[in-house]
Amino acid sequence: MSNFRFGRNTPKEIDDSITNITPLNTKNSRNSIWRQFEKFCGERKYVFDGNTSTEKLAFILKDWGYNMKKVDGNDYKEAVIKTMWNVTAKQLQELVVEMHATQNAGTYKYNRKKRKTSSSILTLEEYNKILKIYNEDTPDGLQKMFFYVAGLELAWRGCEGVNVTIKHFKEESDNCGLPTGRIEYNCIFSKTAQGGSHKLTDSKWLATNTTDPRICPVRLYKKMLSKRGKHITTDRLFLTPNPAWREPSSVGWFKNSPVGRNEMGKWTRTAAEEIGIDIKKKKISNHSLRSTAVSQLAKAGVGEEQLIKITGHANTFSIKPYLQLDGDHHYQMIDKLRANSTAMEESNNKSTNCAPSALVQMSKNIVTTSPSTQTPVNYYNCTIINYNS
């Protein structure tokens, strides 16, 4: 018999146990509330560090509880405010404890980044390898090929595919009523999939891929619709494959039930492991498609103002965690820096030999005298370079 009355579990064992029994919806809700609180603190210029007083923290929480709003500016119900406030207070308490336990307590944002790691991006080579795994002539292969293509081109969030319905897609027509070959996509549900009657983002489009028809999202989408049997009554796009789809008596490729959230949540991680990515060293999830889309578009020179139109973020600050630098991108930046430096040097050399412009000719009268030689020194050839940070 043990001499100890109480358990002897270590702090790590306790944390792991709590994490394992916490429902996924609870985790998602906590993250969503904390992201809203982060945005609120950013607007208010609140910063937390190891020296923040309890009075200051209490004031911040009071300000948050009184002024929290929905995305559309309306007020939350009182019960929702209480829940959100309690969740925020608990997470803030955990953060403060962590900062006090750290010798070099950083800022609030620094510690949050240490606590939460963004999904890693996929290189284009890795992405193409994943696409080659699947056969579109099977129910599972067809759905996953469309998921990876649409997920990248529409910059889907990690859980967005689970909630997508066929009502979110509409074939586009021109003024004459003829199809343009594009499919308009607009999600009308919120991040937490609680529904909503207004559009949260601008429309996006699936366009025909003439370069590689094998991964054309328009063609894959229409093929998916053609394989939905008459027995399908759910609007959800991604459905559970029918194991008996090959049999002549089969009702179709899919069952009348959506793919489960937990099942779909494993798709990208499982595919990445299958092509040889070490998922223990690299955090791969369905959200990696969104991170990959943002990083690759930024790499191609798309500006942040255009990027938020694709991601649906309200401001450019929100896309910062998605911008991840890989080796190729870094090389391109250095190569561009070297090219600009060479071009600047050539331009300076050329400017010293070319005829002055009319404006410079007018400025030739502005001279100064060198104290040593007492000869006029003309500055019209000087080049001023402004190095912006």
Side-chain angles (χ1 to χ4, degrees):
M1 181 176 178
S2 174
N3 295 328
F4 300 104
R5 171 185 171 185
F6 303 105
R8 306 290 292 176
N9 296 88
T10 64
K12 185 179 184 307
E13 291 172 340
I14 295 172
D15 290 340
D16 291 342
S17 177
I18 294 174
T19 301
N20 291 334
I21 64 175
T22 303
L24 181 61
N25 288 343
T26 301
K27 295 178 184 178
N28 292 338
S29 178
R30 282 166 56 91
N31 290 336
S32 175
I33 293 171
W34 185 261
R35 284 195 296 269
Q36 294 182 59
F37 181 63
E38 281 184 321
K39 186 175 181 180
F40 170 81
C41 291
E43 291 180 356
R44 291 287 203 274
K45 310 297 184 186
Y46 291 143
V47 178
F48 304 134
D49 55 34
N51 298 321
T52 305
S53 65
T54 54
E55 292 78 10
K56 179 68 173 179
L57 294 175
F59 172 77
I60 292 172
L61 284 172
K62 181 169 64 174
D63 187 12
W64 165 240
Y66 191 83
N67 291 301
M68 65 175 68
K69 301 284 185 181
K70 294 182 180 179
V71 177
D72 58 8
N74 293 327
D75 293 326
Y76 285 106
K77 294 181 179 179
E78 184 178 354
V80 176
I81 292 176
K82 289 180 179 178
T83 301
M84 292 178 65
W85 190 93
N86 287 330
V87 171
T88 306
K90 182 173 178 59
Q91 290 186 280
L92 187 58
Q93 181 185 30
E94 294 172 357
L95 178 62
V96 171
V97 170
E98 177 184 328
M99 286 192 296
H100 283 295
T102 305
Q103 291 295 329
N104 299 319
T107 63
Y108 144 75
K109 288 180 180 177
Y110 175 78
N111 278 311
R112 281 302 298 176
K113 287 181 179 178
K114 292 280 286 184
R115 289 164 58 87
K116 181 181 177 181
T117 305
S118 299
S119 295
S120 300
I121 66 171
L122 298 166
T123 66
L124 291 182
E125 181 182 3
E126 291 168 342
Y127 173 74
N128 288 325
K129 282 183 179 179
I130 289 177
L131 290 177
K132 291 178 181 178
I133 295 176
Y134 302 104
N135 178 9
E136 68 172 83
D137 292 325
T138 65
D140 183 65
L142 176 60
Q143 286 199 134
K144 288 181 178 177
M145 280 194 69
F146 177 75
F147 172 78
Y148 293 123
V149 174
L152 182 76
E153 297 189 5
L154 298 177
W156 274 349
R157 294 180 175 88
C159 62
E160 195 163 344
V162 178
N163 303 307
V164 166
T165 73
I166 57 177
K167 292 181 179 179
H168 298 149
F169 296 88
K170 183 175 66 174
E171 191 168 356
E172 187 184 56
S173 301
D174 60 19
N175 293 334
C176 299
L178 300 176
T180 63
R182 302 196 307 175
I183 296 177
E184 181 182 6
Y185 170 78
N186 197 301
C187 55
I188 57 174
F189 48 82
S190 68
K191 289 184 180 179
T192 52
Q194 293 174 349
S197 58
H198 61 284
K199 292 184 178 181
L200 297 181
T201 64
D202 294 332
S203 291
K204 309 173 192 179
W205 283 267
L206 295 175
T208 303
N209 188 338
T210 56
T211 304
D212 189 354
R214 183 182 67 89
I215 56 173
C216 173
V218 175
R219 183 186 65 81
L220 292 172
Y221 174 74
K222 291 182 177 180
K223 185 171 182 177
M224 284 180 63
L225 293 186
S226 69
K227 299 300 182 180
R228 295 170 69 96
K230 295 181 179 180
H231 66 292
I232 302 295
T233 58
T234 178
D235 291 332
R236 291 292 179 88
L237 179 62
F238 295 101
L239 303 175
T240 304
N242 178 10
W245 66 277
R246 293 180 183 274
E247 298 179 8
S249 59
S250 173
V251 294
W253 278 28
F254 305 103
K255 295 181 178 180
N256 187 30
S257 61
V259 177
R261 177 183 293 269
N262 293 338
E263 174 63 27
M264 185 177 285
K266 303 174 185 176
W267 280 6
T268 306
R269 182 179 173 86
T270 302
E273 188 175 23
E274 190 170 340
I275 65 170
I277 296 177
D278 190 347
I279 59 175
K280 293 182 179 179
K281 295 182 178 179
K282 211 173 178 184
K283 183 182 177 182
I284 301 295
S285 67
N286 290 345
H287 210 73
S288 294
L289 296 175
R290 184 173 174 85
S291 299
T292 301
V294 174
S295 295
Q296 292 297 336
L297 288 172
K299 183 177 177 180
V302 178
E304 292 182 352
E305 293 294 338
Q306 286 73 40
L307 285 175
I308 62 175
K309 292 292 184 182
I310 297 172
T311 62
H313 286 113
N315 53 65
T316 57
F317 178 80
S318 302
I319 65 171
K320 301 296 183 184
Y322 293 98
L323 299 175
Q324 301 178 33
L325 186 69
D326 60 16
D328 291 338
H329 194 184
H330 184 259
Y331 175 77
Q332 288 183 11
M333 292 170 62
I334 296 300
D335 195 46
K336 184 178 293 186
L337 178 64
R338 291 169 179 170
N340 288 345
S341 178
T342 303
M344 178 68 74
E345 184 177 356
E346 292 176 351
S347 175
N348 291 342
N349 293 336
K350 186 176 180 181
S351 66
T352 60
N353 299 323
C354 66
S357 65
L359 182 60
V360 173
Q361 289 287 0
M362 294 173 60
S363 68
K364 294 176 75 171
N365 295 325
I366 305 175
V367 297
T368 186
T369 302
S370 171
S372 60
T373 60
Q374 298 298 317
T375 56
V377 179
N378 202 327
Y379 286 115
Y380 73 87
N381 275 331
C382 291
T383 301
I384 299 175
I385 303 173
N386 181 20
Y387 291 96
N388 294 321
S389 58

